[in-house]
Amino acid sequence: MKNVALLPRLSDQGVAMFKNSLRNKEIPEASFYAPYIWYASSGGSPSPTKSNEIADTIREFAMAAGFPESRGAKYAEFDQNVAVYLATNECFSSGEALRNDVWAYLAVVKLPDVVKWRFPSDASNRYLGGVKNAFQRLWIRGVAVDLGEEAPDRWKLLRALTEDASGQVLERTSIASDIRLARNIALVWLQVADKLGRGRMENVTRRAVKELRLLNEVVDLSSLPDDELLKRIIALFINASN
Amino acid sequence: MSKVAFPFLTLSDSLVECDGFLIGEPGHPMNKAEEFLQAWDYSRKLGASVTIGFDYDSACKALGFEPGDAALKLIFKMGTGKGAMPRRWETLTDRVVSASEDLPVTLTADLQSHTLSGSIRLRVEIVLASRPKVVSELSPKHPGSRLWAKEHVILIEDGGDSRFPVELVSFSESFNGEVESGALWYLQWISEDVDVDFSGAVRVYVNSDQEKFSERFVEGDDLTIHVLMFDVISQMIEAVIATERFDDLLPECEEGSVGKQVLYWLENAFPGRSLTEVRRLRTDNPARFRAAILASAQPGVFA
C-alpha cells in the first residue's frame, strides 16, 4: 500500500483571512496562519518537512530566475523548472495534488513573496487553490505535457507551449482533467505551430479548443485510440486555421 | 441523458437497464453507492461495479442501424476532485458488445484510493465503437459518439477530516530505543495551544508491532477503540484543566479546534459542571473523575 505524504492545508477561514490582508495590502507572517493549518486525519503520514522542502526548492528556482527583482526576471525559466519539479515530485502523485487547500497553503503561507514577484498584480486567484494558483497551474502543466521518462526529449512540449496555449488548453478543467487528451492537443499544437508560426497560434488555438470542447460533448474523445484521437484534433486545428 | 442537444439518435433511458453503481472493498460483497462514503481515507481499498443490460436489436433499431451491424462500447469511468467538474477522469474498464448474447455486462474495477480527492464520480456510458455499414441520416456515425450515460457522485470524507487523526506505524522503527517503543499507542500532542486546528495538532500513533492490538484497532473493535479513546480523552482533558490559563480561552475556540473538541468531551463526561468543579473532582475524587471519562468514551465520541 502506498504511504501518502499528507501535506499541510490552509482552511477556508485561513483563506478568508488572507483575502482580507490582501485587500489591506499587508502580507502576514507565516505564523499568523497557524490556527488555520490542518492535515488529513488518517490515510498517510503528515509531512510538514516535505512541504518545507518543496517551498524551499521553489524559492531556489525563483532566486535563480531573478527573485526578488522583477526587472530582467526569467519567468518562463522559473515556470518550466517548477513545472518539472512538481510534476515529478512523489508528494503530488496522490489525491493531495487535487486539493485546492494544499496549493493555497504553499502560496499563502510559505511563498506569498514569490507569488507576488511572479504575478505582481495581486490577483487573489494566484494565491488561492485552483487552476490559476501560481504553483497548482504549473503542476497541472507539468503532468499534462510530460512525455514520460523513456521519451528522448521528455519536456519538449513544456518548453514549446506558449503561455497563451498553456492557458487555453491546460487551465480548462474539461480538457486538463483528461491527461491523454490534453497531451495530444499539446502535440498537435506544436506541429501546427511549426507550420503556421507561433504568431498565428493564439487565434487558431482559441477557435480549435472551442470546437473541441463542443465536439467532446457529443463524442467521447477519451474513448478513441491515439491515432483516431490525433486525427480528430488535427482536423479541428486545420479547420481553425482556415 | 444530459442537457446536450445531440445531432444524432441516442438511446433513451427506457431502453437501457442499469440499477446503479456498487462500491465496497474488493473481494467482498459491494453495497449500493450512496451519496456519501463513510470512513474513507487514502489507505482504504475500494472497488466499484455496474451492470448494464439492453436489448441489442432494439438498440440498433433506435439508432437507425441494421440489427447486428453495430458494435457498441460500454465504458466505465471514474472522475475525482471537488467541484462541479472532476479534476481528473480515468477510464476504469470497457467492453465492446455486438450481439444480444453479450449482454448484460458487469463492469468491475479497483479504485486507487490514494489518488482520490473530495468525491468519486462514477460514470458508465455507451458509445459507438465503429461506424456501421448501413446508417440512417440521423444515425450516429463517428466512433466515440455518446449514445447513453449514467453518473453517480459519491462524496468521500474530506481526506478524512471528520475522523480522529490516527496512524498505524511500527514503533520499533519510529521510536527505536525510546520509552514509547513497547507501547500499544502514543498520543502526540503539545498542550501549549487550544485554539489550533485539532487535526493538525493531535495524532494518535498505533503500534503495528503489537499485532493483536493493531488488528483489533484496524477492524474497528469497539472495546479496543473505547479503551484507546478513554486514554486520549483523559490525557487531553487533564492537560487542559491542569492550568487556569485556558479557562477564558476555551469558550472562544472555534469549530474544529483542540479547545472546542476538549469542551465537547468535558460536556459529555461532566454534563452541566463548570471547569472549576471538574478540576475539584479530579483532585478530590480521581477515581470518579476517571470513571466519568471512561463511561463517556464510547466509539464515535469524536465530535
Side-chain angles (χ1 to χ4, degrees), chain A residues 3 7 111:
Chain A
N3 186 39
L7 300 173
L111 297 162

Side-chain angles (χ1 to χ4, degrees), chain B residues 54-95:
Chain B
F54 54 88
D55 182 75
Y56 176 76
D57 288 344
S58 301
C60 284
K61 203 173 157 191
L63 297 169
F65 302 147
E66 293 288 327
D69 191 21
L72 305 179
K73 192 190 267 188
L74 314 185
I75 307 173
F76 191 15
K77 289 181 175 184
M78 185 205 65
T80 191
K82 264 189 172 177
M85 202 177 280
R87 296 291 175 86
R88 185 62 45 86
W89 274 111
E90 182 189 344
T91 296
L92 299 169
T93 183
D94 58 35
R95 184 91 52 88

Side-chain angles (χ1 to χ4, degrees), chain A residues 23 36-37 57 71 76 78 82 85 99 113 131 151 153 164 167 184-185 201 204 231 233 242:
Chain A
R23 271 195 287 275
Y36 311 110
I37 295 166
T57 305
R71 183 176 293 179
F78 169 76
V82 174
Y85 171 68
R99 297 189 60 92
D113 49 345
V131 291
D153 188 359
D164 175 74
N184 277 294
I185 296 172
M201 287 308 288
V204 170
K231 268 190 217 166
I233 301 171
N242 292 329

Side-chain angles (χ1 to χ4, degrees), chain A residues 1-2 13 37-42 44-46 94-96 99-100 136 177 216-218 220 222-224, chain B residues 4 41-43 73 77 87 89 114 116-117 125 143-144 146 158-161 163 165-167 197 199 203 254:
Chain A
M1 192 193 331
K2 184 182 171 66
Q13 281 172 299
I37 295 166
W38 64 290
Y39 293 84
S41 305
S42 58
S45 303
S94 73
E96 293 286 86
R99 297 189 60 92
N100 287 348
Q136 191 171 356
S177 60
N216 203 27
E217 293 278 339
V218 294
D220 182 4
S222 70
S223 72
L224 303 178
Chain B
V4 176
D41 68 24
Y42 290 127
S43 64
K73 192 190 267 188
K77 289 181 175 184
R87 296 291 175 86
W89 274 111
H114 75 273
L116 302 179
S117 183
E125 62 183 24
R146 298 183 195 266
D158 204 2
D161 67 343
R163 305 182 75 183
V166 67
E167 189 175 340
D197 185 89
S199 64
R203 201 160 191 87
E254 291 182 335

Side-chain angles (χ1 to χ4, degrees), chain B residues 24-238:
Chain B
E25 190 172 337
H28 292 77
M30 293 194 185
N31 300 312
K32 190 167 186 276
E34 305 285 354
E35 284 182 22
F36 193 82
L37 180 66
Q38 299 283 353
W40 173 84
D41 68 24
Y42 290 127
S43 64
R44 183 163 172 195
K45 287 180 186 165
L46 273 185
S49 78
V50 63
T51 300
I52 297 184
F54 54 88
D55 182 75
Y56 176 76
D57 288 344
S58 301
C60 284
K61 203 173 157 191
L63 297 169
F65 302 147
E66 293 288 327
D69 191 21
L72 305 179
K73 192 190 267 188
L74 314 185
I75 307 173
F76 191 15
K77 289 181 175 184
M78 185 205 65
T80 191
K82 264 189 172 177
M85 202 177 280
R87 296 291 175 86
R88 185 62 45 86
W89 274 111
E90 182 189 344
T91 296
L92 299 169
T93 183
D94 58 35
R95 184 91 52 88
V96 174
V97 295
S98 52
S100 283
E101 299 79 70
D102 296 338
L103 294 154
V105 166
T106 297
L107 301 168
T108 304
D110 288 349
L111 310 182
Q112 302 297 315
S113 261
H114 75 273
T115 65
L116 302 179
S117 183
S119 71
I120 302 169
R121 186 179 295 238
L122 296 173
R123 178 181 173 91
V124 62
E125 62 183 24
I126 304 173
V127 303
L128 188 64
S130 57
R131 184 188 166 101
K133 289 181 204 126
V134 182
V135 294
S136 75
E137 200 166 312
L138 289 175
S139 294
K141 298 170 185 73
H142 299 293
S145 295
R146 298 183 195 266
L147 308 176
W148 177 90
K150 187 180 181 98
E151 273 192 11
H152 183 82
V153 179
I154 306 161
L155 295 177
I156 51 180
E157 278 184 274
D158 204 2
D161 67 343
S162 58
R163 305 182 75 183
F164 197 93
V166 67
E167 189 175 340
L168 199 62
V169 296
S170 163
F171 280 26
S172 59
E173 289 173 18
S174 300
F175 301 110
N176 188 17
E178 304 291 332
V179 290
E180 299 93 337
S181 61
L184 294 173
W185 67 82
Y186 172 68
L187 171 68
Q188 187 179 67
W189 174 52
I190 300 167
S191 56
E192 284 176 357
D193 297 307
V194 289
D195 58 349
V196 292
D197 185 89
F198 189 90
S199 64
V202 179
R203 201 160 191 87
V204 172
Y205 292 96
V206 175
N207 190 351
S208 61
D209 303 330
Q210 302 277 1
E211 287 181 15
K212 262 189 185 169
F213 179 80
S214 59
E215 273 173 25
R216 283 184 189 175
F217 176 79
V218 170
E219 286 165 5
D221 175 65
D222 279 357
L223 272 179
T224 306
I225 292 172
H226 191 141
V227 172
L228 186 149
M229 286 307 295
F230 160 67
D231 179 56
V232 168
I233 296 170
S234 295
Q235 284 195 52
M236 295 190 70
I237 284 181
E238 288 187 57

Side-chain angles (χ1 to χ4, degrees), chain A residues 138-157:
Chain A
L138 297 177
W139 173 76
I140 293 169
R141 195 179 290 191
V143 169
V145 301
D146 181 2
L147 295 174
E149 282 180 47
E150 305 300 318
D153 188 359
R154 182 175 181 178
W155 302 105
K156 74 171 180 181
L157 291 174

